[in-house]
Amino acid sequence: MSADLRTIPTPRVVVDRARLHANIESMQARATRAGVRLRPHAKTHKSPAIARTQIAAGAVGICCAKLGEAEVFADAGIADIRLPYPVNPANAARVQALQDRLRISIIVDSLDAAREWATVMRRSGRRLDVLVKVDVGFHRCGVDPDAPDAVDTMREIAGLDGLGFRGLLSHAGHAYHARSERELQEIAAREAAILHQLAVQLRDISIAVEEVSVGSTPTARFIDEQRGVTEMRPGNYVFFDRTQVGLEAAAIEDCAMSVISTVVSRPAPDRVVLDAGSKTLTSDGVRGFSPASGHGMVFPSLEATQPDASIAIERLSEEHAVASVPADHPLRIGDRVRIVPNHSCVVTNLADELLFVDGLSILERVPVAARGRNS
Amino acid sequence: MSADLRTIPTPRVVVDRARLHANIESMQARATRAGVRLRPHAKTHKSPAIARTQIAAGAVGICCAKLGEAEVFADAGIADIRLPYPVNPANAARVQALQDRLRISIIVDSLDAAREWATVMRRSGRRLDVLVKVDVGFHRCGVDPDAPDAVDTMREIAGLDGLGFRGLLSHAGHAYHARSERELQEIAAREAAILHQLAVQLRDISIAVEEVSVGSTPTARFIDEQRGVTEMRPGNYVFFDRTQVGLEAAAIEDCAMSVISTVVSRPAPDRVVLDAGSKTLTSDGVRGFSPASGHGMVFPSLEATQPDASIAIERLSEEHAVASVPADHPLRIGDRVRIVPNHSCVVTNLADELLFVDGLSILERVPVAARGRNS
């Protein structure tokens, strides 16, 4: 390809291929060391090419959030997909079609939904693998482990004909709101303790709990300490982003994804306008321990190896980023910058393809095949 | 099509076709009554089918934010496109390719960029139509009208060989932050006054100012009072959204776009989880006069004609909306709701197609042909 990052139309989402591969290897090594299976969440990249790299490195399969994503990865030949999502039984026909092609499992978090799934599966003479989702403090989905009937609910689900109970699963999404490394560590410890206690109670009544699955990129560093866990499901680590840097899950130089953007206006000495807006970066804010704000870390040139904290993207329109700069900042109209976004998973979902790069060179164009597959 | 809104996989972005057409007719009538040309911004719908409806109703052409969008609409035969965007001169070849196919104009907001454009256009023996962008208070792009050299800058731009100076253009984006109807009206009045004064000064030195172009959906209702304006460029009005309701630019029943979503979990009596997250609705917040928060207005069933304020979407994950509800709320797993999003323009940009509907019936599938064309 003759174009490089100095000449391609901007904004453009690029991925440093060497960093991507290093991130994949490094998380795999962490899982292997801890003796747990790695099943990365593919929502971050939505790209079969990257899923294949993860599996080649040792992942046992992938996770998808939605059936639409799973269908794309099934088409690409991925053989084992878990949906840590309370897929509604109205989608039974699609789930069964996927069962004909690969190994698939979902989560349930209520007896009602589990019974409905059991009924539709029994009716077609099939069995669906399920894990029970446990709410470990994020308070999104999941069975409340403190509810007096929690173990009874799980026992009933495990006994339903038409379902294959595989184990317990959690997502400590509240880790993204942790205010310190110590709080993160406590969240990971509590997650493992809750799941372990439930697993023991279930095993005590002779229910096999084959899988105890946890997953989030910020808590992944504590996997060694999470006793009883069999599987981890981080997703974001392939690219990382400004939030992961803020949560100390990654160093700046681990961030594999960035957005190449051009200065399109310098309307005032202290203001620069870039061509990447919320239709490229999304409006997602930044999280992390240290006070941070704005819309991404800006590297002041394509060659710069460190972000320039004096360039602060203060607001996004749909197609503009408005940044404050010191009045004597040298950025001029036409200059190109590199932005590490706040949240890479949602940036991917806006792009039809990712450009894999090495420095300024474009190595491959990788389709985001499952982009927009949210149903 | 046999599927209807009770059976299609969710989440799904739908558009009430009758309301869409009514919104298009109504804005056209407003422009015609005020004696100004309507040139809608196509970023909201990114769909040639809708642009054609706007032009058939009387629009003189469309606006696009980015060249990538313009290229899609050019392919669809749209003959007159303005980019109210400070397109970087590095894109000269693409602009010239569009000139061969249709009438195109852009904005400039600095003498430097204008000179660069003039040079590249002269070199190829062409002329590019430009309007000078004026900052009327949004402080994004635009020449500062209070700068002592503002008129001199415009005079110099108008005199550049290689450019065809057409007039002045503004976007009162700060209207979205207005805290009252009165403040909105003042913003519209100030916008028109600033442009009118500049136009008079330019005409006094014999510079033709053919076009005075303003545009935003919330200020569109004041077009009658905006003396001297020749063109208006609202975009959002085709669909409207919760923010426009908050700014009293639309009634709830004018909102043509909604997202059909399914309840996937009811993990606690006071919590409901829907399958539309930030990868469908985006994280864009709501704006408007009255205190509002959350992620869209929720209609409690597909048939409901009014939103249910007791269902408050308090947070979004990528594929989940977490809503608080009264403990006795009847919503159950599998129920379908309709969500009018906070910001329709960004929702469109996540969808590959819009379903045009009439009640529960699907009438057409309309491709969002310019989705993701942000460069």
Side-chain angles (χ1 to χ4, degrees):
Chain A
M1 221 175 292
S2 66
D4 72 23
L5 298 192
R6 290 167 297 201
T7 55
I8 49 156
T10 61
R12 199 66 189 260
V13 183
V14 305
V15 171
D16 182 306
R17 191 168 68 183
R19 285 185 198 179
L20 167 71
H21 287 178
N23 293 342
I24 289 172
E25 294 294 339
S26 161
M27 189 62 81
Q28 185 61 54
R30 182 182 284 164
T32 305
R33 217 164 38 231
V36 306
R37 292 183 280 277
L38 176 62
R39 180 187 290 276
H41 206 308
K43 66 172 182 147
T44 303
H45 53 71
K46 287 177 172 269
S47 305
I50 298 176
R52 279 191 285 263
T53 304
Q54 291 173 310
I55 288 168
V60 295
I62 60 168
C63 294
C64 292
K66 296 293 183 80
L67 282 169
E69 284 177 354
E71 287 158 353
V72 169
F73 285 99
D75 289 345
I78 304 296
D80 188 336
I81 301 180
R82 188 175 328 285
L83 284 92
Y85 197 84
V87 179
N88 191 263
N91 297 291
R94 294 170 72 198
V95 168
Q96 291 171 358
L98 283 169
Q99 281 187 317
D100 293 340
R101 306 167 66 193
L102 51 86
R103 196 170 172 210
I104 189 156
S105 55
I106 69 162
I107 60 163
V108 289
D109 70 347
S110 74
L111 199 48
D112 283 355
R115 283 186 177 134
E116 204 176 326
W117 270 115
T119 304
V120 297
M121 297 307 289
R122 260 197 325 269
R123 228 178 259 148
S124 57
R126 290 166 183 257
R127 207 171 66 162
L128 176 61
D129 279 348
V130 300
L131 292 92
V132 172
K133 173 76 177 273
V134 179
D135 182 357
V136 293
F138 189 32
H139 305 321
R140 190 175 64 183
C141 300
V143 171
D144 175 2
D146 296 327
D149 60 350
V151 173
D152 278 348
T153 298
M154 293 177 195
R155 184 184 45 77
E156 283 205 59
I157 292 172
L160 287 170
D161 190 20
L163 299 185
F165 175 74
R166 300 285 314 287
L168 305 175
L169 179 147
S170 63
H171 170 59
H174 49 312
Y176 283 92
H177 300 279
R179 283 151 304 178
S180 66
E181 172 86 3
R182 190 193 167 87
E183 198 177 328
L184 257 182
Q185 189 170 14
E186 285 167 1
I187 288 169
R190 210 173 314 128
E191 177 180 37
I194 291 169
L195 296 181
H196 182 66
Q197 196 186 349
L198 289 169
V200 166
Q201 288 176 277
L202 290 168
R203 287 170 185 145
D204 278 351
I205 52 174
S206 301
I207 293 170
V209 182
E210 182 188 316
E211 200 83 279
V212 175
S213 175
V214 300
S216 90
T217 291
T219 54
R221 75 190 92 160
F222 304 110
I223 190 66
D224 285 327
E225 305 167 18
Q226 290 190 301
R227 287 264 185 111
V229 165
T230 62
E231 175 181 273
M232 63 191 296
R233 310 182 321 278
N236 183 279
Y237 74 95
V238 289
F239 300 144
F240 292 121
D241 52 30
R242 194 187 179 195
T243 287
Q244 300 294 348
V245 172
L247 292 163
E248 295 174 14
I252 290 171
E253 49 275 18
D254 298 325
C255 294
M257 172 189 282
S258 46
V259 171
I260 307 301
S261 179
T262 302
V263 174
V264 289
S265 182
R266 180 86 192 251
D270 60 351
R271 193 185 337 138
V272 156
V273 181
L274 304 169
D275 65 0
S278 67
K279 281 179 172 168
T280 305
L281 296 168
T282 81
S283 302
D284 278 26
V286 65
R287 288 168 179 166
F289 309 145
S290 42
S293 63
H295 295 277
M297 293 190 291
V298 184
F299 291 68
S301 69
L302 296 178
E303 294 81 7
T305 55
Q306 286 298 315
D308 178 344
S310 78
I311 309 171
I313 299 180
E314 295 188 342
R315 54 196 171 109
L316 298 179
S317 301
E318 288 162 48
E319 302 285 8
H320 307 72
V322 180
S324 65
V325 290
D328 60 352
H329 199 286
L331 269 188
R332 295 187 46 192
I333 292 176
D335 286 350
R336 291 182 170 216
V337 301
R338 202 158 69 76
I339 305 169
V340 170
N342 284 345
H343 187 187
S344 57
C345 307
V346 287
V347 172
T348 307
N349 189 48
L350 288 167
D352 290 322
E353 60 180 21
L354 305 171
L355 294 186
F356 279 15
V357 300
D358 173 19
L360 300 178
S361 305
I362 298 167
L363 305 173
E364 337 169 33
R365 301 157 74 110
V366 175
V368 184
R371 196 217 71 71
R373 302 302 173 98
N374 54 15
S375 60
Chain B
M1 223 173 289
S2 66
D4 72 23
L5 299 192
R6 290 167 298 201
T7 54
I8 49 156
T10 62
R12 200 65 189 260
V13 183
V14 305
V15 172
D16 182 307
R17 191 168 68 182
R19 286 186 197 177
L20 167 73
H21 287 178
N23 292 341
I24 289 172
E25 294 294 340
S26 162
M27 189 62 81
Q28 184 61 54
R30 181 181 284 164
T32 305
R33 217 164 40 232
V36 306
R37 292 183 279 276
L38 177 62
R39 180 187 291 276
H41 207 308
K43 66 174 181 144
T44 303
H45 54 70
K46 289 179 172 268
S47 304
I50 299 177
R52 279 192 285 263
T53 305
Q54 292 174 310
I55 288 167
V60 296
I62 61 167
C63 294
C64 292
K66 296 293 183 81
L67 283 169
E69 284 177 354
E71 286 158 352
V72 169
F73 286 99
D75 289 344
I78 305 296
D80 188 336
I81 300 180
R82 187 174 329 286
L83 284 93
Y85 197 85
V87 179
N88 191 263
N91 297 290
R94 293 170 72 196
V95 167
Q96 291 171 358
L98 284 168
Q99 281 187 317
D100 293 339
R101 306 166 66 192
L102 52 87
R103 196 169 171 210
I104 190 155
S105 54
I106 69 162
I107 59 162
V108 289
D109 71 346
S110 74
L111 199 48
D112 283 353
R115 282 186 178 136
E116 204 176 327
W117 270 115
T119 303
V120 296
M121 297 308 289
R122 260 198 324 271
R123 229 179 257 149
S124 58
R126 290 167 182 256
R127 207 170 67 162
L128 176 61
D129 279 349
V130 300
L131 291 91
V132 172
K133 174 75 177 277
V134 179
D135 182 358
V136 294
F138 188 31
H139 305 322
R140 189 174 63 183
C141 300
V143 171
D144 175 1
D146 295 327
D149 61 350
V151 173
D152 279 348
T153 298
M154 293 178 195
R155 184 182 47 73
E156 282 204 60
I157 292 172
L160 287 170
D161 191 19
L163 300 184
F165 175 75
R166 300 284 316 285
L168 304 175
L169 180 147
S170 63
H171 171 58
H174 49 312
Y176 282 92
H177 299 279
R179 282 151 305 177
S180 67
E181 172 85 4
R182 189 193 167 87
E183 197 178 328
L184 257 183
Q185 189 170 14
E186 285 168 0
I187 287 168
R190 209 172 315 129
E191 177 180 37
I194 290 169
L195 296 181
H196 182 65
Q197 196 186 347
L198 288 169
V200 166
Q201 289 176 276
L202 290 169
R203 286 169 185 143
D204 279 351
I205 52 173
S206 301
I207 294 170
V209 181
E210 184 187 316
E211 201 83 279
V212 175
S213 175
V214 300
S216 90
T217 291
T219 55
R221 74 190 92 161
F222 304 111
I223 189 67
D224 285 327
E225 305 167 18
Q226 290 190 301
R227 287 266 184 107
V229 165
T230 62
E231 175 180 274
M232 65 193 294
R233 310 183 320 278
N236 184 278
Y237 74 96
V238 290
F239 300 144
F240 291 122
D241 52 30
R242 194 187 180 195
T243 287
Q244 301 294 347
V245 172
L247 292 163
E248 294 174 15
I252 290 172
E253 48 275 17
D254 298 326
C255 294
M257 171 189 282
S258 45
V259 171
I260 307 302
S261 179
T262 302
V263 175
V264 289
S265 182
R266 181 86 191 251
D270 60 351
R271 193 187 337 140
V272 155
V273 181
L274 305 169
D275 65 359
S278 68
K279 281 180 172 169
T280 304
L281 296 168
T282 81
S283 302
D284 278 26
V286 64
R287 288 167 180 169
F289 308 147
S290 41
S293 63
H295 295 277
M297 293 190 291
V298 183
F299 292 67
S301 69
L302 295 178
E303 295 81 7
T305 56
Q306 287 298 317
D308 179 344
S310 79
I311 309 171
I313 300 180
E314 295 188 341
R315 55 196 172 110
L316 298 179
S317 301
E318 288 162 49
E319 302 286 7
H320 307 72
V322 180
S324 65
V325 291
D328 60 351
H329 200 286
L331 269 187
R332 295 187 48 192
I333 292 175
D335 286 350
R336 291 184 170 215
V337 301
R338 203 158 68 76
I339 305 169
V340 170
N342 284 343
H343 186 189
S344 57
C345 307
V346 287
V347 173
T348 308
N349 189 49
L350 288 167
D352 289 323
E353 61 180 20
L354 304 171
L355 293 187
F356 279 15
V357 300
D358 174 18
L360 300 179
S361 304
I362 297 166
L363 306 172
E364 335 168 36
R365 300 158 73 110
V366 176
V368 184
R371 197 216 72 70
R373 302 300 172 101
N374 56 13
S375 60

